[in-house]
């Protein structure tokens, strides 16, 4: 096959010359492709480029339809929403039209895992097989990169980081596989939006963030994650030195169901013990290295004292782990403590500018940055206090976890932000995920993000849930609020694990519930136990894959973005319907806004969110046509309450359901060729039996040929 790696029409080749080239190729039984002649079906369809290149490639009608929809949206410069069920192959379905469009396109994913998969698996495939060259950059959030300046300023650096720093070409912390997500040794040497100096830094030319930005400028496709995309969007005005992304013509959001939560995080205001502690740490370091005025030490000690008093005062006013901040919360001592903290921050800010820059080791660059950070904390603290007294478009709340305190203002409605900050800047925005509809409608997703004018498409999964999965909905367990629910649920999980021989994800709606069940099951089961938080997420998943028979205890972050294909996972247990806590300040504020507009918040907000979350948890089980297994939802409300049945409506309609533990046992015990009749009346042959039957037929055919 002759493959032209560029559009040869751009070389000035005449149409007749192109015809001669095609005819010459055809005389020798060869094919010649010109980029303008290629359609989606010629690449992704039966007999297309990928089908000829990959013996195991399976053309999927859903994938082809999605690719054509994406290509149309890119061509027409229109926003598009696509729900592409698990197994559709949506990654290639948006990458191919994005590449062929010639536009500068941002690909934004919900997780760094998917980001890495696209860059290291899907992109190399397309680079090999597509008849054109294209540049791709994979960029992560700024805190994922090593800061050479902060490294040089840190007196004690672990040997593992120091040795890696000398040889790394990317500065990406992902290369440090065993490093915990919140490792303090990384926090002291990583780049951050607030500490980045830009061109004034002496390490600017060798900076890993600078290098990443240059790669993004040169690439046609830039692969990022949602956190980076919206952090970049939010930081453009406040911290231009930290901006990573170039101008672009289109953006494609994969795992778009996460966007409301991500936008809420990045378009709010936050003051925390960690943020103030980081400022104190960096000022002390700068003083030691003569990069900040030496007399700043007294101001630093004053700030440290006032910060401790302020956060202790706030902690005493917070009734629960997460509490709404109202005007009453600031009355009396908290306001006095806040004023004292404001004065201390002002002192530090003034001190940073009180010395001639020529008298400092780095020419005053660090002092200038530190002064700016102190002023930013002052401004944010004032906004949090004044805003709580006059609530409007934001909700103000505080959260305590251990010794940490966080004060935050979050937007109640992000749809206005999406319209003003995103859709007004880029015409083509494509939103895709396996879970975007509730009860078959995009209404909830559209309303939350302000996408009323977007085109839409809903594509079914190529998986046969009728032959690959069973949904177990026990009716004999107590209500989740009952005192004996945890003990009874643990007993039922133990029974299920015996049937599945481990190979299970146990997904919980809270850390507290996870710990209570773990406490009961750890001494009672022999399977290897893995627990979220005891190791980095990627290491837990890798160990789960390798140790077939393992049982993983996890909460929210494992409900999505985790792929385990094959025999390692055959059981997913979900403890309860995943409703958000009713006392959550953000949920309460959004509920009030819906009530003010005449809508029922439980029906129009809480039920759809729970339905999408449940669909994500269910989706962990079947990731390939060869997978099979059981999803068990231990919450009886799923079948006894009307809202429970509405939440279940987000799951595949063709998946058999049962309330009988005996039928679950039959499912796991089935031998090849076994036929199973579920409690709802549907009969099916499990996928492993069908494959065994096919192998048996093939074996008989071989025997006959040999005879």
């Amino acid at each position: 096959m002759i493959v032209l790696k560029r559009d040869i029409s751009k070389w000035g080749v005449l149409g007749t010359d192109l015809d001669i080239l095609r005819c010459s190729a055809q005389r020798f039984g060869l094919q010649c492709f010109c980029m303008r002649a290629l359609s989606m079906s010629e690449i992704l369809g039966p007999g297309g480029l990928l089908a000829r290149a990959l013996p195991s490639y399976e053309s999927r009608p859903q994938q082809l339809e999605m690719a054509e929809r994406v290509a149309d949206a890119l061509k027409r410069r229109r926003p598009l929403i696509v729900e592409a069920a698990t197994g559709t192959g949506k990654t290639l379905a948006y990458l191919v039209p994005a590449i062929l469009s010639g536009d500068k396109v941002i690909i934004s994913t919900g997780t760094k895992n998917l980001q890495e998969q696209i860059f290291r698996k899907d992109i190399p495939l397309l680079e090999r097989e597509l008849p054109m060259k294209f540049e791709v950059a994979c960029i992560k959030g700024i805190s994922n990169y090593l800061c050479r300046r902060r490294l040089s300023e840190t007196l004690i650096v672990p040997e593992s980081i120091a040795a890696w720093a000398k040889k790394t070409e990317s500065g990406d912390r992902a290369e440090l596989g065993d490093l915990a997500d919140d490792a303090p040794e990384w926090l002291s040497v990583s780049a951050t939006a607030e500490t980045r100096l830009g061109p004034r830094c002496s390490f600017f030319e060798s900076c890993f963030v600078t290098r990443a930005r240059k790669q993004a400028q040169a690439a046609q496709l830039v692969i990022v994650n949602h956190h980076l995309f919206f952090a970049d969007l939010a930081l453009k005005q406040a911290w231009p030195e930290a901006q990573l992304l170039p101008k672009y013509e289109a953006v494609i959001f994969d795992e778009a169901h996460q966007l409301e939560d991500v936008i809420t995080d990045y378009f709010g205001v936050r003051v925390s013990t960690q943020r103030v502690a980081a400022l104190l740490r960096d000022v002390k370091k700068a003083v030691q290295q003569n990069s900040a005025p030496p007399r700043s030490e007294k101001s630093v000690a004053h700030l440290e004292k006032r910060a401790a008093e302020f956060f202790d005062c706030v902690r005493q006013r917070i009734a629960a782990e997460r509490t709404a901040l109202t005007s009453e919360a600031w009355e009396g001592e908290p306001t006095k403590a806040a004023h004292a903290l404001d004065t201390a921050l002002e002192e530090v800010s003034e001190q940073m500018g009180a010395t001639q820059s020529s008298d400092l080791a780095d020419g005053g660059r660090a002092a200038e940055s530190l002064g700016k950070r102190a002023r930013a904390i002052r401004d944010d603290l004032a906004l949090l206090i004044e805003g709580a007294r006059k609530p409007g478009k934001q909700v103000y709340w505080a959260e305590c976890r251990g010794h940490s305190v966080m004060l935050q203002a979050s937007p109640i409605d992000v749809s206005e932000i999406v319209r003003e900050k995103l859709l007004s800047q880029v015409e083509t925005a494509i939103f895709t995920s396996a879970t975007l509809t509730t009860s078959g409608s995009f209404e909830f997703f559209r309303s939350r993000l302000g996408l009323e004018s977007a085109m839409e498409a809903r594509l079914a999964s190529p998986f046969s849930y009728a032959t690959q999965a069973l949904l177990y909905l026990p009716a004999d367990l107590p209500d989740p609020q009952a005192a004996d629910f945890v003990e009874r649920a643990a007993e039922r999980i133990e029974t299920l694990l015996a049937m599945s021989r481990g190979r299970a994800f146990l997904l919980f709606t809270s850390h507290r519930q996870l710990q209570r069940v773990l406490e009961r099951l750890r001494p009672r089961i022999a399977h290897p136990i893995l627990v979220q938080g005891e190791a980095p997420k990627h290491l837990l998943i890798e160990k789960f894959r390798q140790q077939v028979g393992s049982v993983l205890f996890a909460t929210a972050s494992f409900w999505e973005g985790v792929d385990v294909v094959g025999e390692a996972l055959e059981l997913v247990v979900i403890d309860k319907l995943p409703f958000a806590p009713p006392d959550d300040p953000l949920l309460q504020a959004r509920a009030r806004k819906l009530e003010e507009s005449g809508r029922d918040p439980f029906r129009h907000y809480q039920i759809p969110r729970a339905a999408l979350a449940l669909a994500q948890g269910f989706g962990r089980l079947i990731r390939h046509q060869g997978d099979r297994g059981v999803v068990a939802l231990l919450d009886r409300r799923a079948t006894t309450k009307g809202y429970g049945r509405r939440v279940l409506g987000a799951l595949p309609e063709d998946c058999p359901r049962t309330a009988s533990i005996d039928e679950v046992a039959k499912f796991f015990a089935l031998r090849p060729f076994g036929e199973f009749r579920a409690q709802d009346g549907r009969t099916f042959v499990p996928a492993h039996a069908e494959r065994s039957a096919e192998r048996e037929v093939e074996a008989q055919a071989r025997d006959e040929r040999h005879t």
Side-chain angles (χ1 to χ4, degrees):
M1 177 175 69
I2 296 175
V3 177
L4 303 181
K5 280 294 189 181
R6 284 181 173 79
D7 183 348
I8 62 174
S9 64
K10 295 179 180 178
W11 299 351
V13 179
L14 298 177
T16 53
D17 296 329
L18 183 57
D19 292 338
I20 292 170
L21 180 57
R22 286 199 181 106
C23 291
S24 298
Q26 290 168 3
R27 283 178 58 193
F28 295 97
L30 303 174
Q31 286 183 299
C32 173
F33 291 97
C34 174
M35 282 308 302
R36 288 186 177 172
L38 284 178
S39 65
M40 293 302 118
S41 61
E42 289 173 318
I43 297 173
L44 297 170
L49 278 178
L50 297 186
R52 285 193 294 273
L54 304 173
S56 60
Y57 181 80
E58 295 179 4
S59 176
R60 284 162 278 189
Q62 299 92 335
Q63 183 184 59
L64 185 56
E65 181 180 350
M66 177 174 172
E68 290 170 344
R69 296 282 191 130
V70 172
D72 179 62
L74 289 166
K75 182 179 179 180
R76 297 171 59 185
R77 304 291 183 193
R78 289 281 308 279
L80 170 68
I81 307 171
V82 183
E83 183 179 75
T86 305
T88 299
K90 65 179 181 298
T91 306
L92 290 180
Y94 59 68
L95 285 177
V96 170
I99 293 167
L100 298 189
S101 72
D103 290 342
K104 181 100 171 182
V105 181
I106 302 289
I107 307 292
S108 182
T109 70
T111 61
K112 285 187 282 189
N113 285 342
L114 178 55
Q115 191 181 359
E116 288 281 340
Q117 175 192 310
I118 292 172
F119 186 65
R120 307 204 178 277
K121 179 183 175 185
D122 300 312
I123 290 298
L125 166 66
L126 296 177
E127 286 177 329
R128 279 196 317 269
E129 305 304 334
L130 287 185
M132 69 179 298
K133 289 184 179 179
F134 55 93
E135 296 296 326
V136 182
C138 183
I139 310 298
K140 296 181 181 177
I142 193 170
S143 62
N144 287 277
Y145 295 99
L146 176 71
C147 175
R148 293 190 187 276
R149 177 180 63 81
R150 298 188 75 202
L151 178 69
S152 70
E153 295 170 353
T154 303
L155 300 178
I156 301 176
V157 179
E159 178 58 32
S160 60
I161 292 180
W164 166 75
K166 293 176 181 177
K167 62 184 181 181
T168 180
E169 295 184 2
S170 69
D172 184 352
R173 63 165 292 162
E175 296 174 358
L176 295 166
D178 295 333
L179 189 69
D181 292 345
D182 57 351
E185 59 269 29
W186 177 255
L187 297 178
S188 64
V189 298
S190 68
T192 71
E194 293 184 331
T195 59
R196 183 163 164 75
L197 301 177
R200 295 171 296 130
C201 179
S202 55
F203 292 92
F204 181 71
E205 290 304 323
S206 62
C207 173
F208 294 115
V209 175
T210 301
R211 189 176 302 173
R213 181 185 284 177
K214 289 180 178 178
Q215 291 171 348
Q217 291 284 356
Q220 182 203 344
L221 293 190
V222 182
I223 304 170
V224 303
N225 57 64
H226 299 337
H227 292 274
L228 167 57
F229 183 89
F230 287 102
D232 196 82
L233 205 61
L235 289 170
K236 281 183 178 179
Q237 294 180 342
W239 304 96
E241 301 89 351
Q243 189 178 344
L244 275 174
L245 300 184
K247 291 184 178 180
Y248 48 90
E249 296 163 292
V251 58
I252 298 173
F253 296 104
D254 198 347
E255 298 173 320
H257 62 277
Q258 300 178 1
L259 291 185
E260 183 178 17
D261 291 339
V262 175
I263 296 169
T264 299
D265 281 345
Y266 284 98
F267 283 87
V269 172
R270 182 179 299 169
V271 173
S272 65
T273 49
Q274 291 95 327
R275 185 177 175 188
V276 176
L279 174 65
L280 287 165
R281 181 187 65 234
D282 291 344
V283 172
K284 291 176 182 178
K285 188 189 296 184
V287 171
Q288 291 172 355
Q289 296 170 344
N290 193 33
S291 295
R295 58 182 178 275
S296 302
E297 290 181 342
K298 183 180 288 186
S299 298
V300 169
H302 185 217
L303 173 58
E304 199 161 17
K305 179 182 179 182
R306 295 307 182 199
E309 291 172 350
F310 171 72
F311 286 115
D312 283 344
C313 192
V314 171
R315 191 181 287 108
Q316 293 171 15
R317 286 291 176 97
I318 297 176
E321 186 177 274
R322 182 180 282 200
T323 305
L325 287 176
T326 61
S327 57
E328 290 78 13
W330 291 110
E331 289 179 355
E333 289 302 316
T335 295
K336 293 180 182 178
H339 288 158
L341 175 58
D342 178 80
T343 301
L345 285 164
E346 185 179 23
E347 288 178 9
V348 169
S349 175
E350 291 176 349
Q351 283 286 343
M352 291 302 103
T355 302
Q356 290 289 331
S357 58
S358 57
D359 295 335
L360 300 175
D362 65 346
R365 290 186 294 269
E368 182 183 347
S369 175
L370 291 167
K372 183 178 179 181
R373 288 168 62 185
R375 290 191 296 274
I377 295 175
R378 285 188 69 201
D379 292 344
D380 290 347
L381 182 60
L383 188 151
L384 285 162
I385 296 173
E386 293 304 315
R389 290 170 176 159
K390 299 176 182 178
K393 294 183 178 181
Q394 293 188 310
V395 57
Y396 300 85
W397 52 279
E399 183 173 28
C400 284
R401 288 187 181 178
H403 297 293
S404 299
V405 178
M406 181 178 70
L407 309 175
Q408 179 140 346
S410 301
I412 297 172
D413 183 1
V414 305
S415 63
E416 189 174 327
I417 296 171
V418 173
R419 283 190 288 262
E420 290 183 0
K421 303 289 186 181
L422 178 64
L423 298 181
S424 66
Q425 305 297 319
V426 58
E427 293 176 306
T428 310
I430 296 168
F431 306 82
T432 185
S433 171
T435 54
L436 293 179
T437 63
T438 56
S439 301
S441 169
F442 287 101
E443 179 185 357
F444 176 72
F445 184 74
R446 284 181 181 277
S447 65
R448 300 312 304 171
L449 294 186
L451 301 176
E452 292 81 2
S453 63
M455 302 183 292
E456 67 179 50
R458 188 175 183 226
L459 307 173
S461 174
F463 295 154
S464 174
Y465 290 101
T467 64
Q468 292 180 254
L470 178 66
L471 177 60
Y472 173 49
L473 302 167
D476 59 338
L477 291 179
D479 186 277
Q481 303 304 320
D484 60 340
F485 174 76
V486 172
E487 181 58 42
R488 294 282 303 280
E491 292 171 355
R492 188 59 49 87
I493 292 171
E494 184 180 6
T495 301
L496 290 166
L497 292 175
M499 296 175 181
S500 66
R501 297 166 297 157
R503 308 163 189 254
F505 276 5
L506 307 185
L507 303 179
F508 296 89
T509 50
S510 70
H511 288 278
R512 181 170 176 267
Q513 192 85 326
L514 182 155
Q515 291 298 330
R516 293 173 70 191
V517 174
L518 176 63
E519 181 181 300
R520 289 163 172 78
L521 286 181
R522 195 186 283 275
R524 286 154 52 176
I525 61 176
H527 310 289
I529 291 177
L530 305 171
V531 182
Q532 178 182 342
E534 293 184 356
K537 182 176 179 179
H538 69 281
L539 293 181
L540 285 174
I541 294 299
E542 189 57 35
K543 188 174 288 187
F544 183 88
R545 290 191 183 107
Q546 293 174 354
Q547 294 183 338
V548 176
S550 296
V551 178
L552 174 67
F553 289 73
T555 58
S557 65
F558 282 78
W559 282 58
E560 56 184 273
V562 176
D563 285 352
V564 177
V565 175
E567 64 175 350
L569 179 62
E570 293 191 355
L571 173 66
V572 173
V573 179
I574 297 172
D575 66 331
K576 295 192 297 185
L577 292 171
F579 285 107
D583 58 350
D584 180 85
L586 187 54
L587 185 149
Q588 291 176 336
R590 287 174 172 165
R592 283 194 297 271
K593 182 176 176 62
L594 287 167
E595 286 175 341
E596 290 168 3
S597 66
R599 288 184 290 175
D600 178 1
F602 187 67
R603 178 182 177 186
H604 291 283
Y605 184 67
Q606 290 167 269
I607 290 177
R609 278 183 66 89
L612 294 178
L614 181 64
Q616 282 291 327
F618 180 93
R620 295 317 92 214
L621 182 66
I622 305 298
R623 309 301 300 174
H624 185 270
Q625 289 183 336
D627 292 343
R628 68 182 299 271
V630 173
V631 174
L633 175 58
L634 306 184
D635 190 337
R636 63 179 298 160
R637 296 174 300 172
T639 54
T640 61
K641 302 291 185 181
Y643 62 79
R645 291 189 289 272
R646 286 191 61 196
V647 173
L648 286 183
L651 303 185
E653 295 178 359
D654 61 333
C655 181
R657 303 177 182 187
T658 183
S660 168
I661 190 68
D662 293 334
E663 292 190 355
V664 176
K666 290 178 185 177
F667 182 93
F668 280 121
L670 280 174
R671 297 180 180 276
F673 311 110
E675 185 177 86
F676 182 77
R677 182 178 296 276
Q679 198 172 51
D680 61 7
R682 277 178 277 189
T683 301
F684 66 94
V685 178
H688 77 294
E690 292 179 340
R691 292 195 304 276
S692 298
E694 291 170 1
R695 286 194 293 268
E696 183 66 22
V697 171
E698 291 171 359
Q700 290 176 358
R702 283 197 302 271
D703 291 343
E704 290 174 0
R705 286 198 298 273
H706 292 159
T707 301

